């Protein structure tokens, strides 16, 4: 996996002079964006931010709101990975604003979800719930069941930390049922682990062991 990322970075570097000479700003922004994502996956966050911001600046010049939103989203994810949660929220809010203008509700929900997750890591659980419920509302209207299941899991996790175990279990079980029906094995494992953590918090250790993967 790491070798493939290094290979991708080398290819981006080799192709960059030709793209720069062509004057194709959209293709150049894509080159910068992929470079930023590769550095992010390698855990090299300052370089990831540098290249992602370069991609964003080009996209601002040609005014493509959709690709600008993706750039802000990537910057938000990099800040989240680097534990810069306030900066992550700032970037995701900018992505959300652009996606709201475009009316792309699926990606609006992703941005709301990302903001909620950053608030969760800041320990601001009520703010996290507010954004996760907004994401859930959109996802229910769109009918995307796996995304709905993800929202249930996120909200349930916060309820567990707040000590509201019954509501946590209710949502985590609903999430698990959806994922099992869809045959999403990795997601099923995540839901089982979430349920196990809630049972452990309730000191119901046999039930916790039954669910933990």
């Amino acid at each position: 996996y790491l070798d493939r990322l290094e290979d991708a970075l080398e290819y981006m570097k080799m192709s960059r002079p030709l793209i720069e000479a062509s004057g194709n700003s959209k293709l150049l922004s894509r080159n910068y964006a992929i470079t930023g994502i590769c550095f992010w996956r390698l855990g090299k966050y300052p370089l990831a931010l540098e290249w992602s911001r370069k991609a964003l600046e080009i996209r601002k010049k040609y005014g493509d709101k959709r690709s600008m939103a993706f750039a802000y989203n990537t910057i938000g994810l990099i800040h989240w990975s680097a534990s810069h949660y306030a900066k992550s929220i700032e970037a995701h809010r900018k992505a959300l604003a652009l996606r709201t203008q475009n009316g792309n509700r699926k990606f609006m929900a992703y941005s709301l979800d990302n903001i909620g997750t950053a608030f969760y890591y800041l320990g601001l659980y009520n703010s996290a719930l507010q954004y996760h419920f907004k994401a859930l509302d959109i996802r229910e209207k769109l009918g995307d069941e796996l995304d709905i299941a993800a929202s249930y899991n996120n909200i349930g996790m916060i309820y567990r930390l707040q000590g509201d175990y019954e509501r946590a279990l209710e949502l985590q079980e609903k999430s698990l049922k959806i994922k099992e029906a869809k045959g999403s094995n990795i997601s099923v494992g995540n839901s089982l682990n979430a349920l196990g953590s809630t049972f452990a918090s309730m000191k119901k250790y046999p039930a916790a062991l039954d669910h933990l993967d």
Side-chain angles (χ1 to χ4, degrees):
Y1 174 71
L2 294 179
D3 288 344
R4 290 198 298 272
L5 289 172
E6 295 286 1
D7 289 344
L9 281 172
E10 185 62 27
Y11 178 77
M12 290 298 113
K13 182 179 178 181
M14 289 174 58
S15 62
R16 199 170 298 132
L18 292 173
I19 298 170
E20 288 171 340
S22 74
N24 188 327
S25 59
K26 288 189 177 183
L27 194 57
L28 184 60
S29 76
R30 181 172 173 78
N31 180 289
Y32 290 169
I34 293 171
T35 300
I37 289 168
C38 288
F39 278 127
W40 170 43
R41 295 295 189 186
L42 287 167
K44 298 180 179 181
Y45 303 135
L47 284 169
L49 287 170
E50 177 186 341
W51 286 99
S52 297
R53 286 170 177 153
K54 285 183 177 183
L56 175 61
E57 289 308 309
I58 294 174
R59 290 169 180 181
K60 283 180 178 179
K61 289 176 183 176
Y62 63 80
D64 184 342
K65 291 181 180 179
R66 181 176 175 274
S67 61
M68 285 167 60
F70 274 108
Y72 278 122
N73 185 72
T74 300
I75 290 168
L77 293 173
I78 296 165
H79 278 306
W80 179 85
S81 296
S83 302
H84 303 152
Y85 302 122
K87 290 181 178 179
S88 177
I89 290 167
E90 180 184 354
H92 284 305
R93 279 178 167 161
K94 289 178 179 177
L96 175 61
L98 290 165
R99 288 168 170 173
T100 302
Q101 290 175 32
N102 287 340
N104 191 328
R105 292 192 296 164
K106 185 177 181 71
F107 285 98
M108 285 167 59
Y110 285 144
S111 290
L112 289 164
D113 197 58
N114 288 333
I115 294 167
T117 299
F119 273 121
Y120 163 79
Y121 277 92
L122 284 170
L124 299 172
Y125 299 138
N126 289 333
S127 294
L129 283 173
Q130 177 186 350
Y131 280 93
H132 283 309
F133 272 116
K134 286 181 179 180
L136 175 60
D137 182 59
I138 292 173
R139 288 168 170 174
E140 287 178 334
K141 288 172 181 173
L142 292 174
D144 190 330
E145 292 187 347
L146 282 176
D147 281 345
I148 291 169
S151 286
Y152 285 156
N153 220 42
N154 290 334
I155 295 166
M157 181 170 57
I158 296 168
Y159 280 147
R160 176 179 68 82
L161 291 172
Q162 291 180 324
D164 193 343
Y165 301 129
E166 294 306 320
R167 280 205 283 185
L169 287 174
E170 178 187 353
L171 288 169
Q172 289 164 347
E173 286 168 354
K174 286 169 74 173
S175 175
L176 177 61
K177 285 179 182 177
I178 292 171
K179 291 171 180 178
E180 286 177 334
K182 291 289 183 181
S184 180
N185 292 332
I186 294 174
S187 296
V188 164
N190 291 337
S191 284
L192 288 170
N193 284 332
L195 280 163
S197 296
T198 302
F199 281 121
S201 296
M202 298 169 74
K203 297 184 170 33
K204 295 184 177 181
Y205 300 119
L209 290 172
D210 285 342
H211 288 85
L212 288 170
D213 186 9

